[in-house]
Amino acid sequence: MSSMEAGCPGFPRLWNNLQLKDNGDGDDDDDDWHRRAFCYNYWLERSRGCPLSLRIEYYGDRSDLRRFLQPYVKQISTLTVDFCDCLNPFEIQDFDRLNHLTIRQLPADDFPLVINRSLSKLPVNLRSINLTDLLFSPGRLDCFTNSAWARLTHVEIGIRGLDTFPRILRMCPNVSSLMITGVFNPIKTAAPITHANLRSLRMSGYIPVDSGNDLGLFNIVTLPNLRVVEASRMGTWPHEEFKAFLRRSACPLEKLVFGSALFSTAQQRAEYATLFPSLEIITEFDVGNQPANVVHSCCFI
């Protein structure tokens, strides 16, 4: 063993990040799994109780991986999972230290089954979830229990249709930061909703060509605590709808960011500066953070 290898165990934070996989395509034999498990364990033992950040490729063809991790579940604070199959559940309810969860992949044919088996009950201390590599309709969100999401404060999610947006707000009464991506079909939900805790809203989506400009996104929501709005890839910005939303919400908006493929005019941005004199307005080609009373023209590709 080299002097560097001998010294590393004395620095447990060097061992707190690891990528694991179970049997992969199912062709690995038990000897191969045990060799990998030995290496995983060698690594994790040296973390000595430090918070762990793990990425797992889970094929579900054996339950050994979940049992193997049991001694370390109280250390795992960040977890990324690729569910490549769902033959066996991978439950995380007892990952008491888990604060951030990312799901990169779910098998399309067994989407509800994976959620019911592995994700229907989330850890009590989980506050942040990232599902931007997936697309959720309101129906797919119904696979989750509302109580599992009620504690979340940060959500990043891919959606199929803007009707998913108010559904997320209802599921997550404590969320303060929300990012939505995906397919922005116009909203059809008529029921208005007020969310008192959302402070930051980021949006970047594909708008089908037959959707028109009336997305209805801001017509039904009232967000009295909103501070930051970031938007990109949404075509023509719904200026009048957004102004009516701002007046209705009476929110203390501090920052408005217009990214790529979003079309707004200098006059529109000047109107926002009038509504909020201290508002910071940033467009894609702004340099630095300049005050809102300096309004810039944008060029869009």
Side-chain angles (χ1 to χ4, degrees), residues 263-278:
F263 306 100
S264 66
T265 68
Q267 177 59 39
Q268 290 171 349
R269 296 191 294 274
E271 291 182 38
Y272 301 137
T274 300
L275 290 173
F276 302 92
S278 61

Side-chain angles (χ1 to χ4, degrees), residues 34 65 93 95 111 114 141 168 185 224 228 232 235 239 250 260 271:
H34 289 308
L65 179 59
Q93 184 181 6
F95 286 38
F111 198 99
V114 173
L141 282 178
I168 294 168
N185 296 107
V228 178
S232 62
H239 173 62
S260 61
E271 291 182 38

Side-chain angles (χ1 to χ4, degrees), residues 43-75:
W43 188 283
L44 293 173
E45 280 184 341
R46 278 148 184 78
S47 67
R48 296 185 181 178
C50 287
L52 294 173
S53 177
L54 303 184
R55 175 163 184 174
I56 296 173
E57 295 179 28
Y58 189 69
Y59 291 82
D61 56 354
R62 58 160 70 233
S63 57
D64 299 40
L65 179 59
R66 180 61 182 81
R67 289 198 300 268
F68 165 78
L69 287 174
Q70 190 59 39
Y72 305 103
V73 296
K74 306 301 183 185
Q75 292 178 240

Side-chain angles (χ1 to χ4, degrees), residues 5 41 76 79 145 171 187 199 237 285 294 297 300:
E5 289 172 324
N41 193 58
I76 301 172
L79 179 64
T145 60
M171 291 176 65
I187 201 164
R199 298 169 61 94
W237 181 244
F285 299 105
V294 181
S297 298
F300 295 93

Side-chain angles (χ1 to χ4, degrees), residues 165 176-180 184 198-204 217-218 221-234 237-239 241-243 245-247 249-260 262 264 269 272 276 279-284 286 289:
F165 174 54
S176 60
S177 175
L178 174 62
M179 175 181 177
I180 55 174
F184 286 8
L198 190 66
R199 298 169 61 94
S200 173
L201 175 62
R202 292 182 291 158
M203 304 167 287
S204 178
L217 176 65
F218 296 107
V221 295
T222 301
L223 306 174
N225 206 26
L226 191 65
R227 262 78 167 170
V228 178
V229 174
E230 299 183 25
S232 62
R233 298 172 55 205
M234 292 178 62
W237 181 244
H239 173 62
E241 179 184 323
F242 187 62
K243 276 203 310 180
F245 156 77
L246 292 176
R247 292 191 179 101
S249 297
C251 57
L253 193 66
E254 299 170 355
K255 186 175 182 180
L256 182 59
V257 181
F258 290 136
S260 61
L262 188 145
S264 66
R269 296 191 294 274
Y272 301 137
F276 302 92
L279 179 65
E280 178 184 16
I281 299 178
I282 300 174
T283 59
E284 183 186 15
D286 285 347
N289 297 340

Side-chain angles (χ1 to χ4, degrees), residues 115 136-150 152 155 157-175 178 180 187-195 217 220-221 223:
I115 293 175
F136 286 85
S137 64
R140 280 192 165 182
L141 282 178
D142 288 341
C143 297
F144 293 96
T145 60
N146 285 14
S147 59
W149 286 52
L152 296 176
V155 175
I157 187 169
I159 65 173
R160 189 185 298 275
L162 286 171
D163 280 313
T164 312
F165 174 54
R167 178 75 175 93
I168 294 168
L169 294 180
R170 289 187 172 91
M171 291 176 65
C172 306
N174 291 304
V175 67
L178 174 62
I180 55 174
I187 201 164
K188 299 177 183 178
T189 305
I193 177 172
T194 298
H195 193 288
L217 176 65
I220 66 166
V221 295
L223 306 174

